[in-house]
Amino acid sequence: MQLIPCPWCGPREETEFHYGGQAHIGYPQDPSALSDEEWARFLFFRANPEGPFAERWSHSAGCRRWFNAVRDTRTHDLLAVYRIDEPRPVIS
Amino acid sequence: MSRAPGADLPEDPDFLWDNPDPKPAYDVVIVGGGGHGLATAYYLAKVQGITNVAVLEKGWLGGGNMARNTTIIRSNYLWDESSGIYEHSLKLWEGLEDELDYPILFSQRGVLNLAHGLQDVRDSVRRVNANRLNGIDAEWVDPGQVKELCPIVNTSPDVRYPVLGGTYQPRAGIAKHDYVAWGFARAATVLGVDLIQNCEVTGFEIVRGRIAGVETSRGRIAAGRVALCAAGHSSVVGALAGLELPLASHPLQALVSELLEPVHPTVVMSNAVHVYVSQAHKGELVMGAGVDSYQGYGRRGSFHIIEDQMAAALELFPIFARAHLLRTWAGIVDVTPDASPIVGLTPVQGLYLNCGWGTGGFKATPGLGDCFAHTIAKDKPHPHVEPFTLERFVTGALVDEHGAAAVAH
Ligand SMILES: Cc1cc2nc3c(=O)[nH]c(=O)nc-3n(C[C@H](O)[C@H](O)[C@H](O)COP(=O)(O)OP(=O)(O)OC[C@H]3O[C@@H](n4cnc5c(N)ncnc54)[C@H](O)[C@@H]3O)c2cc1C
Ligand SMILES: [Zn+2]
């Protein structure tokens, strides 16, 4: 079982967390101005890289707060953990 | 019950396929040597008459999800679009051993999808009715009939999620996945198709919007048409051709027990408690559950998924309590937002897409192969794959099989 470092509680077991998919997806500023194409992109198209991926997690069985993480999808290594309102850290 | 484990397995064949070096050019290049790639190559050669075909596989033939799945074959999906392709496939399965002249151990032992709650029951009965309207064999069975079909299922009302009944598709079943891959590979080789292993596609050559060839770890290969059959890695391969796809790749695990005497005569699946079980020809219990929640390409999954799945298996099948677990493994499956595949043409001329079968594409192997070969040869979607375009995510014509199809496979 994988340990995930909650920014507030520290490392806890994976089963305490809920996965939230890709991070940094903003709700459209002006929804009625979107074309069908743009709606489709917002609703259905997400990055699916083999390598570092910025995603959201919620510590649902702990502090119940959301946070972001950059995880390498090949190894499952968590490369960075940061707050929802922070920008994606640069990972060399 | 006196049958020795493995007694009905055939002898190893003396010839499976040649291992040619790639030629400089092909009429059709297929990316990915899993079941879908191999079946597509076979039907291209056999039915469409296109034999100057190469299947390029980065690893070994049939070593991806084709070798990792739990081999369940059924066609009792809810929607007409899904019924079309999966039932077409099931009909081909029924003649496949003769067609390929190769033993694939297709066993129509039936599949039971259990219902454990009132909404489950309503959804299941609805699906039975929908299946029947589509000419697909389906029955609603009560707990007593479940017990007759599979005596080891615990139908006691005193459990956390009692069995309230289930749907039953008698023509559904299992086949031996490796043999299916080898059967298609062998038959394709005989028809002149080149199966090239250890050949990774690393780029696409696109000239004025039309495919011209592929870059590979074994050099450039010119191609009139290119077909993608890369399953879990479709996003990665698609990106090389500039395609963005609505896919999420997830680890999906399976596991087997030690060999047991024949105890489990059918396939039992349960969406609500999330486990499914069949007994392989040799005697192992083959079990699976759902995907891991997170996206990933590491071919291992989380231990707690196995724990939950085992807990569910034990409540449903108390006699498994002392069975030893022998092996676990994971594959990477590409899941779409509506749990239906994406098959068809792309914005690049001569480039064809087949992906997003997620957790359930093994059963589609012959049907997809036939329809995808047709799509490639005619440059026009076969009617059975026409609903599964990439455009449906823009038009909204989704084929939402998520909740409807009973368990993820
Ligand atoms: C644990 C598990 C259980 C499952 N159970 C069932 C089930 O019971 N019933 C069912 O119907 N389905 C099931 N599935 C799903 C099913 O296995 C897949 O949907 C199906 O196998 C996908 O098609 P394929 O056979 O072509 O894929 P694969 O066998 O994965 O073939 C894709 C191939 O593409 C190759 N490839 C990738 N990238 C490249 C590249 N750049 N260059 C060259 N080659 C490349 C890969 O190496 C791979 O061999 C299960 C899957 C898993 C993982
Ligand atoms: Zn926390």
Side-chain angles (χ1 to χ4, degrees):
Chain A
M1 203 169 293
Q2 167 127 336
L3 287 178
I4 297 178
C6 171
W8 291 280
C9 312
R12 298 292 185 86
E13 286 189 351
E14 183 183 344
T15 48
E16 293 188 12
F17 295 85
H18 177 82
Y19 184 63
Q22 187 177 354
H24 309 295
I25 305 279
Y27 189 80
Q29 293 282 326
D30 183 4
S32 55
L34 258 50
S35 66
D36 289 354
E37 199 95 19
E38 287 162 333
W39 265 117
R41 298 210 69 75
F42 170 67
L43 289 173
F44 299 127
F45 286 71
R46 293 292 180 269
N48 191 26
E50 192 176 23
F53 179 51
E55 61 192 14
R56 303 179 303 171
W57 289 87
S58 149
H59 190 190
S60 45
C63 65
R64 306 189 55 191
R65 286 199 264 191
W66 284 92
F67 59 93
N68 288 341
V70 176
R71 187 176 53 95
D72 190 318
T73 60
R74 293 164 295 196
T75 57
H76 306 180
D77 286 344
L78 288 146
L79 307 175
V81 166
Y82 56 105
R83 286 186 5 197
I84 286 285
D85 56 356
E86 289 177 324
R88 176 179 172 156
V90 179
I91 289 160
S92 56
Chain B
M1 295 257 166
S2 60
R3 192 173 57 98
D8 30 351
L9 295 184
E11 293 295 315
D12 286 341
D14 54 359
F15 157 81
L16 283 170
W17 56 78
D18 302 324
N19 265 312
D21 288 323
K23 290 193 279 187
Y26 291 94
D27 293 339
V28 180
V29 161
I30 295 171
V31 184
H36 285 200
L38 294 167
T40 302
Y42 169 74
Y43 288 106
L44 265 177
K46 179 71 194 273
V47 179
Q48 307 298 336
I50 302 177
T51 55
N52 186 20
V53 175
V55 179
L56 309 183
E57 166 55 49
K58 72 174 174 185
W60 64 93
L61 290 181
N65 291 332
M66 192 60 180
R68 292 161 203 267
N69 67 66
T70 45
T71 79
I72 296 167
I73 295 164
R74 59 187 181 87
S75 65
N76 57 354
Y77 284 69
L78 180 69
W79 301 112
D80 295 353
E81 294 87 345
S82 317
S83 295
I85 181 71
Y86 290 108
E87 177 62 15
H88 176 59
S89 199
L90 182 49
K91 289 199 176 111
L92 290 178
W93 279 111
E94 287 174 322
L96 199 58
E97 196 150 305
D98 287 341
E99 168 84 33
L100 298 178
D101 190 21
Y102 194 80
I104 56 163
L105 304 186
F106 178 48
S107 160
Q108 289 178 293
R109 56 183 66 185
V111 168
L112 266 172
N113 291 99
L114 300 179
H116 302 267
L118 279 180
Q119 190 58 43
D120 243 4
V121 171
R122 291 186 196 111
D123 291 345
S124 302
V125 172
R126 178 187 181 203
R127 185 156 48 82
V128 164
N129 291 331
N131 292 160
R132 289 197 176 167
L133 287 171
N134 279 317
I136 292 169
D137 57 323
E139 293 164 35
W140 167 256
V141 290
D142 64 24
Q145 292 166 302
V146 167
K147 195 85 187 159
E148 272 167 41
L149 287 164
C150 191
I152 58 173
V153 175
N154 180 9
T155 51
S156 151
D158 302 329
V159 294
R160 176 77 181 84
Y161 299 105
V163 174
L164 301 184
T167 67
Y168 185 59
Q169 185 181 17
R171 286 164 61 241
I174 58 172
K176 204 145 161 57
H177 48 7
D178 297 333
Y179 289 38
V180 175
W182 299 340
F184 274 117
R186 200 165 109 120
T189 298
V190 169
L191 293 170
V193 171
D194 281 0
L195 307 180
I196 300 160
Q197 307 187 67
N198 300 311
C199 183
E200 178 170 1
V201 171
T202 53
F204 294 90
E205 208 180 297
I206 298 165
V207 182
R208 285 186 297 280
R210 186 175 178 93
I211 200 85
V214 293
E215 312 286 345
T216 81
S217 55
R218 296 176 69 175
R220 175 189 183 262
I221 302 173
R225 291 167 190 213
V226 174
L228 306 183
C229 290
H233 282 73
S234 310
S235 300
V236 178
V237 174
L240 298 173
L243 300 180
E244 277 184 81
L245 303 171
L247 294 173
S249 293
H250 291 264
L252 176 66
Q253 302 181 82
L255 47 92
V256 291
S257 75
E258 62 192 319
L259 303 186
L260 302 178
E261 286 287 315
V263 290
H264 190 308
T266 180
V267 181
V268 174
M269 313 178 70
S270 168
N271 206 359
V273 301
H274 231 140
V275 68
Y276 56 89
V277 188
S278 66
Q279 189 165 17
H281 295 83
K282 232 192 318 179
E284 309 99 316
L285 299 169
V286 181
M287 300 191 229
V291 295
D292 278 42
S293 65
Y294 52 79
Q295 278 164 253
Y297 292 88
R299 282 201 184 121
R300 66 184 160 86
S302 306
F303 191 71
H304 67 265
I305 302 275
I306 296 180
E307 256 183 327
D308 290 350
Q309 171 187 348
M310 292 299 93
L314 280 196
E315 185 152 290
L316 272 183
F317 303 97
I319 77 157
F320 296 166
R322 285 170 189 278
H324 289 108
L325 190 60
L326 218 59
R327 286 195 308 285
T328 77
W329 64 89
I332 302 302
V333 298
D334 52 353
V335 178
T336 60
D338 62 355
S340 288
I342 307 173
V343 185
L345 278 51
T346 70
V348 180
Q349 265 180 21
L351 179 67
Y352 305 88
L353 184 61
N354 166 52
C355 64
W357 292 89
T359 60
F362 172 70
K363 63 180 67 64
T365 302
L368 178 279
D370 182 33
C371 297
F372 198 36
H374 175 112
T375 303
I376 298 162
K378 311 260 187 282
D379 193 36
K380 191 171 169 272
H382 184 283
H384 282 316
V385 298
E386 211 166 2
F388 299 108
T389 57
L390 188 53
E391 287 79 48
R392 76 178 184 274
F393 297 98
V394 175
T395 63
L398 304 181
V399 187
D400 183 6
E401 283 290 343
H402 239 127
V407 110
H409 307 280

